[in-house]
Amino acid sequence: MTRRASIIAALALVAVIVAAGAAQAARLKDMASIHGVRGNQLIGYGLVMGLNGTGDKAATTFTVQGLSNMLNRMGVKVSPDNVKVKNVAAVMVTAELPAFARAGSRIDVTLSSIGDSDSLAGGTLVMTPLRAVDGNIYAVAQGPVSVGGFTAGGQAATVSKNHPTVGRIPSGAVIERELTERFGENPRISINLRVPDFTVAARVAQSIQSEIPTLAPRAVDPSTIEITLPASGLENVALMARLENLEIEPDMSSKVVVDERTGTVVMGEGVRISTVAVASGALSISVTESADVSQALPFAPGGETVVVPSTDVTVGEQKAPLAVVRSGVSIGQVVSALNALGATPRDLIVILQAIEAAGALQAKLEII
């Protein structure tokens, strides 16, 4: 390799290292939220009309009552006994009212069937008020339902894809009432980390102090950093925009997450394993049942044909030599060492549990 090629390779390596280091930083807005700036849940009971015979059955009494009450309010007097609801489905409508949402804005809504409807495809949600936990109406939903699935079939077989009894209406609700929010009235504001951590909280306070010293940041606990805003509200918006884009180096505790139901193993970057010797093998037992027929000889007195059961049992054990797993300095080396044993994800779960029991796993093992 020439000198020029060596210099180019070295510069490329430095660029990769710098890029990897920069990629570790994350924006503050992706790691934390402002105390009090959050969404609010909305819920309502509605009816989806225009279904092609896939609505609720006549035995679903609340759908019959709901349709009858709606018609009566519209001046159409009808008895619930005379109402057929095969083209109507009762649904629960849910949505989230974002922070600082203003009247006239639109939000998405989700519809979930609460009766025995087969599908909401092709239906239209009629005007449905959405209430918050205080009982007040904050939005009204209405519109055609979009379903990401289907169901079809006959008397002997039925095929379905995804969940045809759950649908969405993009921008299907209009906000009618605003939440009372006065950002900046309290000069003391808290920044809440989504994952509490002492190290990250200290780094956030230090970054804010370096960027805007006048805010006087103070890390109160592993999840809360308090700052003091100036008096002017116009300046507060610009200051919060600067804070949101501060780059903070995240930190996380060493953890191994195991999902035994699906055979999934996820390891954090800081996982370390002390030097251990591991042997992993599999014992398999196969039992095969068969039936042999024993037939009597020709012209034998009193002879009869009988069925004789036969059982074949085979025991096999996989050879697993004892292997030494050296201390890993990175997650890549840990995975390479375990892969060297030929461990499957299921085997890896058992091996990790045994290593943790031996005290050689320098991380928290969490089973979900």
Side-chain angles (χ1 to χ4, degrees), residues 70-77:
M70 185 188 70
L71 293 175
N72 289 333
R73 287 195 301 268
M74 298 177 68
V76 181
K77 302 300 181 181

Side-chain angles (χ1 to χ4, degrees), residues 100 183-184 189 212 229-245:
F100 306 110
F183 176 74
I189 288 184
I212 313 175
L229 296 178
S232 175
L234 296 177
E235 294 181 2
N236 292 340
V237 176
L239 286 175
M240 296 308 299
R242 291 177 61 184
L243 291 180
E244 284 184 340
N245 290 281

Side-chain angles (χ1 to χ4, degrees), residues 270-281:
V271 175
R272 302 289 186 269
I273 293 181
S274 302
T275 303
V276 291
V278 180
S280 178

Side-chain angles (χ1 to χ4, degrees), residues 145-212:
V145 182
S146 175
V147 178
F150 66 87
T151 180
Q155 296 182 353
T158 303
V159 61
S160 62
K161 180 181 180 181
N162 297 335
H163 295 278
T165 55
V166 177
R168 286 178 59 84
I169 306 179
S171 302
V174 180
I175 299 176
E176 300 292 345
R177 175 181 294 191
E178 301 176 358
L179 293 174
T180 304
E181 297 172 319
R182 295 293 184 269
F183 176 74
E185 287 187 351
N186 185 356
R188 202 69 180 170
I189 288 184
S190 298
I191 300 175
N192 300 331
L193 296 177
R194 293 189 176 91
V195 179
D197 188 272
F198 285 102
T199 303
V200 177
R203 290 176 181 174
V204 171
Q206 293 173 0
S207 298
I208 296 176
Q209 180 67 32
S210 301
E211 181 72 16
I212 313 175

Side-chain angles (χ1 to χ4, degrees), residues 182-310:
R182 295 293 184 269
F183 176 74
E185 287 187 351
N186 185 356
R188 202 69 180 170
I189 288 184
S190 298
I191 300 175
N192 300 331
L193 296 177
R194 293 189 176 91
V195 179
D197 188 272
F198 285 102
T199 303
V200 177
R203 290 176 181 174
V204 171
Q206 293 173 0
S207 298
I208 296 176
Q209 180 67 32
S210 301
E211 181 72 16
I212 313 175
T214 57
L215 297 183
R218 185 170 66 94
V220 179
D221 52 50
S223 63
T224 306
I225 300 93
E226 290 186 349
I227 59 176
T228 303
L229 296 178
S232 175
L234 296 177
E235 294 181 2
N236 292 340
V237 176
L239 286 175
M240 296 308 299
R242 291 177 61 184
L243 291 180
E244 284 184 340
N245 290 281
L246 284 179
E247 291 191 349
I248 310 297
E249 183 181 352
D251 193 81
M252 58 183 295
S253 59
S254 300
K255 183 183 294 186
V256 178
V257 181
V258 172
D259 187 351
E260 291 187 308
R261 297 185 299 273
T262 60
T264 303
V265 180
V266 179
M267 297 184 184
E269 181 183 8
V271 175
R272 302 289 186 269
I273 293 181
S274 302
T275 303
V276 291
V278 180
S280 178
L283 178 67
S284 61
I285 301 177
S286 175
V287 179
T288 304
E289 292 283 355
S290 61
D292 297 333
V293 178
S294 177
Q295 189 174 6
L297 294 176
F299 308 108
E304 61 181 11
T305 301
V306 296
V307 177
V308 180
S310 176

